[in-house]
Amino acid sequence: MLAKRCNKLRERIVERIFSVSGAITTIAIVLIVVFLFREGFGLFGSSTIENGYSLFVNAKNDISSLSPTDTKRIFDGEITDWRDVGGKAGEIKVFRFDEIFNLYSEDAFGDNYALLPDKLAEVIDNNPTIIAFLPDKYAPKPSSVVKRLTDRRITAADFVLGTQWLPTATPSPLYGMLPLILGTLLVSLFAVILALPLGLGVAVYLSELSDNRIRRIMKPAVELLAGIPSVVYGFFGLAVLVPLVQRTFALPVGETAFSAGIVLAIMALPTIISVAEDALRSISPAMREASLALGATKWQTIYRVVIPCAKSGLLAAIVLGIGRAVGETMAVLMVSGNAAVMPHSLFESVRTIPATIAAELGEAPSDGTHYQALFMLGCILFIFTSIVSIAAEIITKKHHTSKEL
Amino acid sequence: MKSTNNKIISAKHINFFYKEFHALKDINLEISSQSVTAFIGPSGCGKSTFLRLFNRMNDLIHGTRIEGLCLVEGENIYAKGVDTDRLRKKVGMVFQKPNPFPKTIFENVAYGLRVNGMGDKQFISQRVETSLRSAALWEEVKDKLHKSAYALSGGQQQRLCIARALAVEPSILLMDEPASALDPISTARIEELIVRLKQNYTILIVTHNMQQASRISDQTGFFMMGELVEFGSTKQIFTAPEREQTYNYISGHFG
């Protein structure tokens, strides 16, 4: 009686432990996603000008605000006339805060730099075509002579459609993720195009055509490859593939989307092969026998019966392969060249989203827009992979329902 | 080299090995066309192996070997250069468990025609209908030809598999315990079907059910431990077996 009671109690405790651990895991995952998006979305609505700084112009200037790209080009000296940004003609005079110390001696600023704002105002007043990049702390009050340019906010369009990723540019960092997302797409697409036919082909070979002995050696070998750390693949890519690509195609640098795609394809192969082979082998021999007994050839049996039967498993293999290609960081960081510019061909350096996050997060101050932009990139990546797996889910479901109709 | 008599199948001194295991020992028999032949015997006696010789299904198993002469319509089917795909079109097979493809009912029946590159659309749909009629399934499925075969009951699925085999118009039909996974009503329908199909096909059936063998077959072979102990007309085997082992088996003393 007592023993039975003890047993029941134990069962209930075990049950509790399982449900609690399930709940904790789910909550943790949800919280991570919420955190990711909360940090990421902080980017939108932040000022396009570096935190704690503002831009000032002479009050007579009709410009009242500048886009981040124009700001950047003005400070880079690419735009030199106000006409080009919609103002009255006049050569732009760029003024950075530090320059005030060349114009006045220390004494002129008074105690604790109390007079500094007045001096800055004086400078702005004297130069009608000036644009001054000043810290808010010493900024002159807007007045009849000084005009503070209205802040622009970073918009989703700036982020999604921007073609320049210059997170450390001053005064106006640019967070255009288009080069990164195109880099990611280019590299992953190339990798997937390489890896899918190869991987599925090897899976069909292993499960349908090879004899037992070969499979017994090859299957574990392939699975072993899946366990090699990505940095090792990256190292291999850097040491072998990059020089090879550089020489073969006579390129200035071998670190290109092409090399990265090949390394990624090699990395995705073991996953694709292993999952796809399992899917094919799980098809009952009765299906193959039924087909062969009707006079179908081996090949007809494979592509008319075995592959359609294993469709959902094969799809899983494809999705896992794509997931690996899209999310892979280290190896790509090592062989892609990391140039955050709009890619035009496979034989250029590119930068992917994960590589960007890995390379830059350490240098981004945790309250700044750069940090938030990196989180936003993380969100994009997350959305990206979710779309892939949801699409796969829908396709599999469609397949299943048509089976049950 | 057509045989002069109407023996559609003949086996001469067949020995069969799974690696070292001697599965069939010196089997000799002849079967005339348009008859039903039942093979009975305890599990593992080799009757299924024997059946699968005639469409070379045993080839799929690694490490098997055959000795002796196996003639189908006078042709040595184990001769060099025999096209197994062509042979299997001539010798259809129905398996123990219904194994329809995960396709529609129509596509299941049409499969054999499609893989053999037979006919246009109209021919195929005509043949699908006649095959389903022959398998006594047409009335039940004619309104849902384009639904999944998995929506059918087990008995219907097995009749679908028979229709699928009939669609390529084999002359011989091998049936490996075709009713063992079915309920009694479905079994009865399959038996009726077999008797009816006899008019056009030569049927070889393996069964564990001795009443079934006695009900539907013209001749019966009793296998034990890889040997064909006795082969003769069903009536004689079940009423006056010559060998004691046969008598013991059919009277339920063992097995």
Side-chain angles (χ1 to χ4, degrees):
Chain A
M1 191 61 191
L2 190 69
K4 200 171 170 190
R5 259 225 176 110
C6 272
N7 255 339
K8 247 193 183 151
L9 193 68
R10 201 178 323 146
E11 266 179 31
R12 283 189 58 175
I13 291 171
V14 170
E15 221 172 83
R16 273 289 146 74
I17 291 173
F18 278 118
S19 39
V20 166
S21 57
I24 289 174
T25 320
T26 317
I27 290 168
I29 291 169
V30 169
L31 284 180
I32 289 172
V33 173
V34 168
F35 173 72
L36 185 69
F37 277 85
R38 210 201 51 187
E39 292 290 313
F41 274 97
L43 177 69
F44 305 129
S46 301
S47 169
T48 54
I49 308 295
E50 206 179 320
N51 225 351
Y53 289 81
S54 297
L55 291 172
F56 295 87
V57 292
N58 191 292
K60 290 186 203 92
N61 199 326
D62 356 322
I63 299 289
S64 61
S65 92
L66 281 172
S67 76
T69 329
D70 287 342
T71 313
K72 186 222 158 225
R73 294 180 67 193
I74 287 171
F75 276 79
D76 282 356
E78 288 169 26
I79 295 178
T80 53
D81 201 296
W82 284 110
R83 236 183 354 213
D84 300 335
V85 289
K88 276 197 299 257
E91 199 185 340
I92 299 173
K93 181 177 164 44
V94 171
F95 183 84
R96 290 172 200 271
F97 177 62
D98 297 355
E99 293 170 35
I100 193 77
F101 298 104
N102 304 334
L103 298 175
Y104 297 91
S105 68
E106 281 288 317
D107 312 336
F109 303 128
D111 291 338
N112 279 331
Y113 299 105
L115 299 175
L116 188 50
D118 296 342
K119 294 292 173 199
L120 288 168
E122 217 176 288
V123 171
I124 293 170
D125 189 22
N126 292 338
N127 295 283
T129 60
I130 199 170
I131 179 161
F133 174 52
L134 307 172
D136 291 339
K137 195 176 167 194
Y138 298 114
K141 293 267 169 325
S143 62
S144 55
V145 290
V146 176
K147 185 161 76 174
R148 183 173 177 277
L149 290 185
T150 331
D151 279 352
R152 289 248 183 127
R153 304 283 157 194
I154 298 176
T155 60
D158 288 339
F159 184 71
V160 176
L161 302 176
T163 57
Q164 281 178 303
W165 178 262
L166 294 164
T168 51
T170 50
S172 191
L174 294 177
Y175 302 111
M177 62 150 212
L178 216 50
L180 306 181
I181 203 152
L182 287 182
T184 309
L185 283 178
L186 184 68
V187 171
S188 337
L189 222 64
F190 180 56
V192 166
I193 287 170
L194 278 185
L196 275 192
L198 256 171
L200 295 180
V202 173
V204 168
Y205 168 75
L206 280 182
S207 103
E208 306 297 317
L209 306 171
S210 71
D211 65 272
N212 253 328
R213 258 176 318 168
I214 293 179
R215 200 183 56 247
R216 268 208 298 271
I217 299 167
M218 267 191 76
K219 189 80 196 298
V222 164
E223 274 160 8
L224 199 70
L225 288 181
I228 293 179
S230 60
V231 69
V232 175
Y233 281 105
F235 189 62
F236 160 80
L238 205 54
V240 179
L241 202 64
V242 166
L244 194 71
V245 168
Q246 188 177 355
R247 253 181 291 129
T248 316
F249 299 98
L251 299 171
V253 284
E255 284 106 336
T256 57
F258 185 78
S259 331
I262 292 178
V263 171
L264 267 189
I266 295 171
M267 294 179 65
L269 267 179
T271 318
I272 295 174
I273 294 172
S274 174
V275 177
E277 205 260 359
D278 285 341
L280 291 171
R281 288 196 68 75
S282 71
I283 301 309
S284 125
M287 285 295 132
R288 297 187 179 87
E289 284 190 342
S291 169
L292 292 170
L294 288 165
T297 61
K298 197 167 193 175
W299 181 235
Q300 285 173 326
T301 303
I302 291 171
Y303 81 79
R304 282 180 182 257
V305 174
V306 179
I307 290 176
C309 283
K311 209 186 248 165
S312 56
L314 293 178
L315 216 62
I318 293 169
V319 169
L320 286 174
I322 294 177
R324 177 115 206 222
V326 172
E328 171 51 37
T329 310
M330 202 58 221
V332 179
L333 190 65
M334 291 167 80
V335 296
S336 67
N338 286 319
V341 290
M342 295 291 279
H344 298 97
S345 84
L346 273 174
F347 299 101
E348 278 172 35
S349 289
V350 293
R351 167 97 71 91
T352 65
I353 291 175
T356 304
I357 297 173
E360 293 179 4
L361 196 58
E363 290 154 25
S366 70
D367 52 348
T369 47
H370 187 192
Y371 178 82
Q372 290 167 328
L374 292 177
F375 268 92
M376 202 58 225
L377 284 183
C379 297
I380 298 286
L381 199 61
F382 175 78
I383 292 168
F384 210 68
T385 44
S386 304
I387 288 172
V388 172
S389 52
I390 289 169
E393 189 91 353
I394 290 169
I395 296 168
T396 353
K397 218 171 247 162
K398 219 183 208 166
H399 173 66
H400 271 286
T401 42
S402 71
K403 210 190 242 179
E404 273 144 27
L405 265 175
Chain B
M1 198 188 90
K2 283 267 169 193
S3 56
T4 46
N5 53 14
N6 67 342
K7 301 299 182 200
I8 190 167
I9 282 177
S10 57
K12 288 172 184 159
H13 304 293
I14 298 282
N15 282 286
F16 188 81
F17 303 86
Y18 288 107
K19 296 204 170 120
E20 299 310 309
F21 178 64
H22 197 169
L24 293 172
K25 295 167 190 163
D26 195 35
I27 311 287
N28 291 286
L29 61 73
E30 289 193 319
I31 292 170
S32 28
S33 64
Q34 284 157 32
S35 66
V36 176
T37 307
F39 297 118
I40 57 171
S43 298
C45 65
K47 56 193 189 300
S48 284
T49 304
F50 184 68
L51 190 76
R52 292 161 66 100
L53 284 182
F54 296 103
N55 63 347
R56 294 191 55 171
M57 225 46 185
N58 289 325
D59 291 13
L60 304 180
I61 301 161
H62 196 69
T64 55
R65 189 159 53 85
I66 184 172
E67 288 167 6
L69 200 57
C70 194
L71 303 176
V72 170
E73 291 179 344
E75 188 190 347
N76 178 6
I77 59 168
Y78 283 89
K80 273 211 177 83
V82 166
D83 182 353
T84 50
D85 305 328
R86 230 191 68 225
L87 171 73
R88 285 170 187 157
K89 237 177 73 189
K90 198 159 64 182
V91 185
M93 186 160 194
V94 177
F95 297 84
Q96 182 173 358
K97 271 198 203 136
N99 56 354
F101 301 124
K103 300 173 186 284
T104 62
I105 292 167
F106 184 91
E107 281 306 319
N108 261 282
V109 183
Y111 181 83
L113 303 170
R114 294 203 197 281
V115 296
N116 290 300
M118 283 158 77
D120 52 20
K121 224 171 160 180
Q122 208 186 343
F123 173 83
I124 288 177
S125 60
Q126 190 58 45
R127 187 64 79 75
V128 167
E129 183 180 337
T130 47
S131 307
L132 284 168
R133 280 190 194 281
S134 309
L137 192 62
W138 176 253
E139 291 303 321
E140 291 158 63
V141 300
K142 64 181 177 193
D143 299 323
K144 45 181 179 181
L145 286 177
H146 298 287
K147 303 244 162 133
S148 169
Y150 288 174
L152 299 175
S153 73
Q156 287 174 323
Q157 285 187 15
Q158 193 62 305
R159 274 180 282 145
L160 178 67
C161 291
I162 294 173
R164 184 173 67 181
L166 297 181
V168 289
E169 300 202 315
S171 46
I172 298 166
L173 205 53
L174 309 175
M175 302 180 122
D176 191 355
E177 301 186 42
S180 68
L182 304 179
D183 63 87
I185 293 169
S186 305
T187 303
R189 301 202 62 169
I190 300 274
E191 287 182 13
E192 276 168 40
L193 181 58
I194 290 170
V195 173
R196 206 147 40 72
L197 289 174
K198 189 172 78 171
Q199 293 162 2
N200 300 311
Y201 302 89
T202 308
I203 295 171
L204 276 64
I205 178 170
V206 162
T207 177
H208 265 121
N209 181 333
M210 274 173 290
Q211 281 79 34
Q212 189 173 69
S214 67
R215 277 195 298 264
I216 61 176
S217 68
D218 302 309
Q219 50 301 342
T220 298
F222 170 56
F223 276 88
M224 213 170 99
M225 299 180 74
E227 284 177 57
L228 181 58
V229 176
E230 192 167 350
F231 181 66
S233 82
T234 299
K235 200 174 169 194
Q236 176 249 316
I237 295 278
F238 280 92
T239 55
E242 285 170 9
R243 305 280 292 268
E244 198 187 340
Q245 286 166 307
T246 315
Y247 173 76
N248 285 340
Y249 184 74
I250 59 175
S251 56
H253 286 211
F254 74 94

